[in-house]
Amino acid sequence: MREGAMGRIKVNLTLDAEVAETARALGLNMSRLAEGAILEAAKVERNRLWREENRAAIDAYAEEVARNGLPLAQFRSF
């Protein structure tokens, strides 16, 4: 979901005090950093779940390639 798609909401986060103080001292925007980290974590988790849900098809395709090679490999020019 892109920024602005649903607007912004306030949430509460608990951070290590030293981490928060360091971020403040460096002028870092903790909200934006947290948002980016959460977005990346969600992407990684969605990908993991997709691979898990499609494991049988992925394994079957890998076995097919191992047995018969890549489809259309005869047409490769490299």
Side-chain angles (χ1 to χ4, degrees), residues 4-41:
M6 291 181 57
R8 301 188 71 75
I9 63 169
K10 285 187 175 247
V11 297
N12 290 323
L13 295 174
T14 302
L15 301 176
D16 178 85
E18 195 171 323
V19 169
E21 286 305 315
T22 300
R24 279 191 189 106
L26 294 170
L28 299 176
N29 184 324
M30 287 185 270
S31 293
R32 297 293 179 172
L33 289 169
E35 183 176 44
I38 292 166
L39 188 59
E40 181 61 24

Side-chain angles (χ1 to χ4, degrees), residues 39-54:
L39 188 59
E40 181 61 24
K43 177 181 157 186
V44 167
E45 182 62 7
R46 274 194 305 272
N47 289 339
R48 186 194 69 76
L49 289 172
W50 184 90
R51 285 190 310 275
E52 185 178 299
E53 291 166 3
N54 292 282

